Each structure stands twice: as C-alpha cells, then as structure tokens.
Amino acid sequence: RCIMCNIWKMIPKNELSLDEWSSMFSDPLFSDIETLDITGGEAFLAKGFIKKITLFLEKMPKIKRVTIVSNGFSTNLIVKRIKKLVKLLNSRGITLNISISLDGTEKMHETIRRVPQAFKKTTSTILKLKKLEQNHSNLSVSVGSLIMHQNLDSIEEVISWLKNNKIDYGLQIVGFHDTYVDNLDTEDSTDFQKRDKSKLFTLLKDLSKPTSWRDVRSYYWRDLLAMYKDKKRRTTPCPFLQDQLAVDSLGNIYNCFSTSAVGNIRNKQTPSDIYLSPKNL
C-alpha cells in the first residue's frame, strides 16, 4: 500500500507455472548468473516460495549470493521461511542477504506504508533476523530506506535508530517510472519540492563523502547531487548496462525495471533471443 509505488494495486493472475520458470531458466543466458535478487511486492508471500528458489538454484549453478527484499510486516512467516532458506543455501555455499524496508520511525513509516503499526512490525522482524544472523555465517541482514518528500526531514531519525541497533543500511532516492512500479501518478505528492532543495543537497553532499577508499557508492551520491543540483548527466555506470537483467512472474524480460519489457518468453522466444537481439543490444 506504499504511497510511492503502485505494485500493490496489481492483481496477480496468469503467473508463470513452475514448468515455465524451469524452461526460462534453462536458457544458457542464465548459466553464469552469480547473483540472484528477488523482489516483489512482498516476495515471502509467493506461493511455493522454497520450491521456486530450489528450482532457481538448480538452473543457475554458479549462484554465490541471493538477496531478498521484504517489507518485514509478516514477522513469523518471514522468520520461518528464512530459517528454511538459510539451511538450503548453506548446504550449497551460498550467501543470503535480506534487505528490510524502513522509511521512517513510528508514525512516519506507517504514513508511507499505509499499514497500521508498520514501524512496530518491521522493526520486530529486523531485530529477530539480527539474532538469527548470529547463528548463521551465510546470513546477513540490512535495511533499505527510501528518501522522498515526506521523510526527508526525518530520515536522520531512521539512520540514528539503525546505528543504535548496529544494523547495516542503504539509502535510495525515490524515482518515477511508467513501467514496473507504474508510479507516475505519485510524483506530485512524493517528489521533492522547492523548499526541500537545501535539505536534499546537504544530505546528498554528506553521502558523497567517502567513508573509506573502498566506498564506491560515494561516487553514485556525488552523481545524484550533480543531477539534482546542476542538472548534469550521470557519470557512474549502471550495472544493468553490462551484466544484469530483470524478469518478472509473467515472463517479461527487461534490461532494467526502469525501462519497458523487451520481450516475453510466452511469445515463443527464448530469453537469449530476446536479450541478445540486435535491437535490444
């Protein structure tokens, strides 16, 4: 029910069967995949969750890391499924990263997610997973926070809560697309306004300061500052341009979820035919 995304309005129908998933991931395009990111909606609500991931691992034998993004609302279900998943991945030497979304403290997170007691539910999941993390060397738990007009003034409160609880986190700026998240109609209400500029520029400037010589992400934030402040083009490369792609549960293949689908496997095309066609390259 997030105010900045319309995925929750989509009605799941005619999604890929297990056989169709199997057929798609049997394509050579996926044989060298090393990182699998699973997102939603809410991924942990997917039917046949463990069965699907088991299939994905069998079809992509070189996977080293699986990342799952979650809203963290269904604490018991999420913890139960992660316990099963972490054992499955550990037996194959695969790392599991769980990223829980947290956009504010107390009422702010509830306002953005439009779910009663959202902060209480999400933080309960985060803290339980952090305890679970202590017993599993192949499990890492972090938090992702999306910055928008509504929470720009209070994002420091989230960061403070995360630091106090010794939780790794990553920040992202709200974006608007007419494709996967289909959220152009939310731009007027959630995008930054003129009075936000000073606060936004200060935040981006702070984020663009390297914390170490390995802090590559600081260059990304420097780019964002230049884009917002000076209308400059991005200079840091996007991984999707070279070695990433996206697929959805309807069989669509994307160069990136911020762009339109470039084909569908149900149209009697293989993933390789779609992704490697001259027009898509």
Side-chain angles (χ1 to χ4, degrees):
R1 301 174 190 172
C2 308
I3 63 173
M4 66 295 185
C5 171
N6 286 327
I7 288 178
W8 61 275
K9 294 181 180 180
M10 300 177 190
I11 300 173
K13 58 182 179 180
N14 197 28
E15 294 187 306
L16 296 177
S17 66
L18 207 59
D19 286 342
E20 287 178 305
W21 279 114
S22 178
S23 175
M24 176 164 65
F25 286 139
S26 294
D27 187 276
L29 187 65
F30 299 97
S31 61
D32 290 327
I33 293 292
E34 296 182 356
T35 301
L36 173 65
D37 291 354
I38 301 173
T39 184
E42 175 53 42
F44 287 105
L45 295 180
K47 294 178 181 178
F49 178 79
I50 297 294
K51 189 178 291 186
K52 285 176 181 174
I53 293 184
T54 302
L55 172 66
F56 299 166
L57 299 180
E58 290 172 352
K59 296 296 181 180
M60 293 178 274
K62 293 187 179 181
I63 285 181
K64 298 177 181 178
R65 183 172 70 249
V66 173
T67 296
I68 302 178
V69 179
S70 171
N71 58 36
F73 293 153
S74 304
T75 302
N76 293 336
L77 173 67
I78 292 169
V79 171
K80 181 180 178 181
R81 290 195 160 179
I82 287 178
K83 284 181 177 179
K84 289 183 179 179
L85 186 56
V86 78
K87 289 181 180 179
L88 172 66
L89 297 180
N90 189 45
S91 67
R92 300 168 185 245
I94 299 172
T95 299
L96 174 61
N97 296 330
I98 302 296
S99 177
I100 305 295
S101 300
L102 184 66
D103 305 318
T105 57
E106 303 301 337
K107 286 295 181 182
M108 179 56 69
H109 191 51
E110 187 171 316
T111 297
I112 291 174
R113 297 281 161 167
R114 287 193 285 216
V115 171
Q117 296 187 312
F119 181 74
K120 182 179 179 180
K121 293 177 179 179
T122 300
T123 53
S124 173
T125 300
I126 293 169
L127 296 176
K128 285 189 176 184
L129 291 180
K130 288 299 291 183
K131 286 186 177 180
L132 190 64
E133 181 186 58
Q134 296 173 8
N135 300 319
H136 298 280
S137 60
N138 67 321
L139 174 64
S140 67
V141 179
S142 62
V143 163
S145 298
L146 187 66
I147 307 169
M148 65 197 83
H149 165 69
Q150 279 81 351
N151 66 355
L152 179 61
D153 289 334
S154 59
I155 197 65
E156 292 294 340
E157 295 176 12
V158 181
I159 295 174
S160 177
W161 186 90
L162 294 169
K163 287 182 176 179
N164 288 340
N165 287 280
K166 298 179 180 179
I167 297 166
D168 292 333
Y169 65 92
L171 304 176
Q172 188 177 342
I173 298 290
V174 66
F176 304 96
H177 312 284
D178 60 357
T179 53
Y180 190 67
V181 296
D182 191 25
N183 67 343
L184 293 184
D185 63 323
T186 72
E187 188 169 2
D188 288 343
S189 60
T190 60
D191 197 10
F192 304 107
Q193 301 177 11
K194 285 185 178 180
R195 66 177 184 271
D196 296 329
K197 282 187 176 182
S198 177
K199 181 80 175 181
L200 177 63
F201 295 163
T202 299
L203 175 64
L204 294 177
K205 190 173 182 179
D206 288 343
L207 291 171
S208 66
K209 297 175 183 176
T211 56
S212 72
W213 65 271
R214 292 183 177 182
D215 188 7
V216 179
R217 195 163 175 81
S218 63
Y219 292 97
Y220 167 75
W221 290 114
R222 192 181 304 174
D223 253 1
L224 276 185
L225 177 60
M227 290 164 68
Y228 272 100
K229 189 175 181 180
D230 304 317
K231 308 299 181 184
K232 292 184 177 180
R233 290 178 61 84
R234 175 176 173 169
T235 60
T236 47
C238 174
F240 278 96
L241 289 174
Q242 289 191 325
D243 63 357
Q244 294 187 16
L245 74 156
V247 301
D248 68 19
S249 59
L250 301 178
N252 293 307
I253 292 182
Y254 306 77
N255 290 323
C256 162
F257 275 142
S258 299
T259 60
S260 299
V262 292
N264 188 294
I265 63 163
R266 284 173 166 167
N267 294 333
K268 297 182 179 180
Q269 292 178 292
T270 68
S272 289
D273 289 340
I274 297 169
Y275 189 72
L276 301 175
S277 71
K279 69 171 185 174
N280 290 336
L281 290 178

